[in-house]
Amino acid sequence: MDAPALLISYADLIETELKRCLAPEPGVPAVLCEAMAYSACGGGKRFRGGLAMGACVAVGGRAEQALPAACALEMVHAFSLIHDDLPCMDNSDLRRGRPTCHRVYGEALALLAGDGLLVRGVQILCADKLLAPEATLSVVRILLAALGIGGMVGGQVMDMAAEHTCPSLEELRALDAAKTGALIRASARIGAIAGGGGLLEQDALDAYAASLGLAFQIVDDLLDVTGDAAALGKPAGADSKNGKATYPGLLGLDRARELADREIERAIEQLAPFGERGAFLAELARYVGARDR
Ligand code: GRG
């Protein structure tokens, strides 16, 4: 199977497994299960989960070995999107072409559905029987570090503080490295651990993902200016409406594009030690540069 077809097949595997993990459960309020499944299933590129599976393959594992981790990553990602969309954050009405979780279920339930997805994601990692106990401890630590105050939570606070200001490029990179990049890097490292990769391989994939994460965010910012709302599944122009600091805002469209392309090349260079086993990840990096949603 070629890399684009693999990307779709990984996304399908993740989607099926997410639905299974988030089916209604006895003793759990049905509406809570429904709200969690609403946000985690049915849409999304499965970029973080696919990245974990690709990293697993790059170090010589089978993609399925990273499937539980991929689901955990997509659940915590969905959690972050629910919270990011809330009225007290970005106040968004649309996500993945559908009303946001709080628009359908109300703010209080959306908040709790997000909390439920976070905890369920960590539980899935803890219950992953394919991982040795030390590996479980490592992946949980890596995930929590990526989500915590030095990662996504801290990054979101920096993002809020930077609204209607003009940060330097260095400050913007630090903000995005925490808000978006940390989970992307964690996805690559966790996938590599699931595949039994050693520290050197993990570090190479971490360097790949650091560049990839930066490119991903730059392209995200570019799509907010130039993208099509139907493809994006949400209105374009939200960043400027919310006074967000972005790469096109700071550098202009052309220089931002150049920076994204450079980071994609850098990411691909990191894959040299993996030879043919890194082909999917190289394709994933090209996809990040070319994506329209
Ligand atoms: C999640 C620990 C935690 C706390 C909440 C709200 C918040 C703090 C952080 C927000 C982080 C965030 C939503 C960053 C934006 C990242 C981003 C570019 C999301 C879009 O990801 P895609 O394009 O979305 O992969 P799909 O829909 O394809 O999955």
Side-chain angles (χ1 to χ4, degrees), residues 117-130:
L117 283 168
L118 168 64
V119 175
R120 176 52 61 86
V122 176
Q123 283 177 314
I124 285 178
L125 281 185
C126 291
D128 184 353
K129 295 205 167 43
L130 299 174

Side-chain angles (χ1 to χ4, degrees), residues 43-48 74 76-86 89-90 95-96 118 144 146-148 151-157 159-160 178-181 183-184 216-217 220-221 223 232 234 287 291 293:
K45 296 178 286 296
R46 307 305 177 203
F47 169 64
R48 293 155 191 80
E74 289 295 334
V76 299
H77 168 57
F79 153 58
S80 75
L81 298 180
I82 294 176
H83 283 208
D84 196 45
D85 289 336
L86 286 170
M89 298 272 176
D90 281 359
R95 167 75 65 184
R96 295 174 173 170
L118 168 64
L144 295 181
L147 295 178
M152 196 183 260
V153 172
Q156 181 74 352
V157 173
D159 187 62
M160 284 155 41
K179 187 185 77 164
T180 315
L183 187 59
I184 292 174
F216 186 90
Q217 184 62 54
D220 211 70
D221 290 356
L223 286 173
L232 290 173
K234 59 181 183 184
Y287 161 76
R291 72 193 177 100
R293 71 185 186 111

Side-chain angles (χ1 to χ4, degrees), residues 2-292:
D2 62 13
L6 262 181
L7 187 56
I8 294 169
S9 85
Y10 290 169
D12 286 347
L13 282 173
I14 293 168
E15 198 71 44
T16 305
E17 186 61 9
L18 279 174
K19 284 196 183 114
R20 196 186 65 78
C21 294
L22 294 170
E25 283 177 37
V28 180
V31 69
L32 178 58
C33 295
E34 194 187 302
M36 288 165 66
Y38 177 82
S39 287
C41 307
K45 296 178 286 296
R46 307 305 177 203
F47 169 64
R48 293 155 191 80
L51 170 57
M53 292 170 84
C56 181
V57 169
V59 300
R62 284 178 303 105
E64 287 75 9
Q65 283 171 256
L67 186 55
C71 287
L73 288 159
E74 289 295 334
M75 282 186 198
V76 299
H77 168 57
F79 153 58
S80 75
L81 298 180
I82 294 176
H83 283 208
D84 196 45
D85 289 336
L86 286 170
C88 61
M89 298 272 176
D90 281 359
N91 193 18
S92 305
D93 293 335
L94 267 184
R95 167 75 65 184
R96 295 174 173 170
R98 296 185 302 172
T100 44
C101 191
H102 66 273
R103 283 275 155 209
V104 179
Y105 296 97
E107 267 182 66
L109 196 68
L111 194 78
L112 293 165
D115 297 344
L117 283 168
L118 168 64
V119 175
R120 176 52 61 86
V122 176
Q123 283 177 314
I124 285 178
L125 281 185
C126 291
D128 184 353
K129 295 205 167 43
L130 299 174
L131 289 178
E134 320 81 72
T136 300
L137 190 58
S138 295
V139 298
V140 170
R141 276 191 176 140
I142 291 164
L143 180 67
L144 295 181
L147 295 178
I149 57 175
M152 196 183 260
V153 172
Q156 181 74 352
V157 173
M158 292 183 217
D159 187 62
M160 284 155 41
E163 281 174 14
H164 305 288
T165 71
C166 188
S168 66
L169 182 59
E170 204 175 300
E171 285 164 341
L172 187 57
R173 284 180 74 141
L175 181 170
D176 287 325
K179 187 185 77 164
T180 315
L183 187 59
I184 292 174
R185 286 174 66 182
S187 303
R189 194 178 280 277
I190 288 172
I193 293 173
L199 205 54
L200 276 180
E201 290 175 307
Q202 290 174 36
D203 287 347
L205 291 172
D206 181 64
Y208 158 83
S211 285
L212 188 69
L214 174 56
F216 186 90
Q217 184 62 54
I218 299 169
V219 172
D220 211 70
D221 290 356
L222 284 166
L223 286 173
D224 192 67
V225 181
T226 62
D228 170 55
L232 290 173
K234 59 181 183 184
D239 288 343
S240 68
K241 198 178 108 201
N242 293 328
K244 294 285 183 191
T246 67
Y247 294 92
L250 203 62
L251 302 173
L253 286 173
D254 292 346
R255 279 186 62 213
R257 181 79 245 175
E258 277 166 31
L259 187 56
D261 290 344
R262 202 165 69 218
E263 290 303 324
I264 288 163
E265 282 312 311
R266 265 197 198 141
I268 293 171
E269 279 163 25
Q270 302 300 325
L271 298 172
F274 301 98
E276 206 29 50
R277 290 198 310 222
F280 169 78
L281 292 182
E283 194 62 37
L284 188 66
R286 289 187 196 100
Y287 161 76
V288 162
R291 72 193 177 100
D292 66 353

